[in-house]
Amino acid sequence: QVQLVESGGGLVQPGESLRLSCVSSGSKFRFDAMAWYRQAPGKERELVASISGPSGANYAESVAARFTILRDSVRNTVYLQMNNLKPEDTAVYYCNANGHLARVGTYNYWGQGTQVIVSS
């Protein structure tokens, strides 16, 4: 069974940085794509950043100048370096792995989330 486990969230002040990590286990194949989503209270879950072989990295406009998604494809691990954090970045951040493999079919895995709070 595939599991994604996020870590690195916490309480920081505006302007500070955090680095989120997502480690996977149970997969016998390399994920096509990995991504970070977030969900703020009362809002829908939104895509923050994604990374895949063909497409490279993509970012939500609100974070493109401040966040960087990094991937260790061999270990199916993904990171999110978040700089110059703002209060509006406060949310639960979720790791996602998705793609399609002939012997598995379409897959879409989620982690349990890690809380990020940006407040002075």
Side-chain angles (χ1 to χ4, degrees):
Q1 183 176 356
V2 174
Q3 288 189 319
L4 303 177
V5 179
E6 304 98 331
S7 62
L11 171 63
V12 296
Q13 294 188 348
E16 294 186 339
S17 298
L18 278 175
R19 184 180 175 94
L20 305 183
S21 299
C22 172
V23 177
S24 69
S25 61
S27 173
K28 294 180 172 56
F29 55 91
R30 188 171 69 182
F31 300 136
D32 290 340
M34 298 190 77
W36 287 96
Y37 287 74
R38 68 185 180 187
Q39 187 167 19
K43 295 187 177 182
E44 293 187 355
R45 190 173 298 189
E46 63 174 355
L47 177 65
V48 176
S50 65
I51 188 166
S52 67
S55 304
N58 292 281
Y59 299 92
E61 185 175 347
S62 60
V63 308
R66 301 180 294 121
F67 292 8
T68 302
I69 188 169
L70 301 167
R71 180 180 180 180
D72 182 337
S73 296
V74 174
R75 295 179 175 83
N76 275 340
T77 299
V78 68
Y79 307 92
L80 187 67
Q81 178 66 43
M82 305 186 294
N83 297 329
N84 189 23
L85 282 160
K86 303 177 180 182
E88 51 264 41
D89 295 317
T90 295
V92 177
Y93 284 71
Y94 297 90
C95 178
N96 172 267
N98 64 84
H100 180 85
L101 193 65
R103 58 184 173 87
V104 173
T106 298
Y107 57 89
N108 192 33
Y109 304 123
W110 292 94
Q112 84 289 348
T114 185
Q115 177 75 59
V116 172
I117 300 174
V118 185
S119 176
S120 55

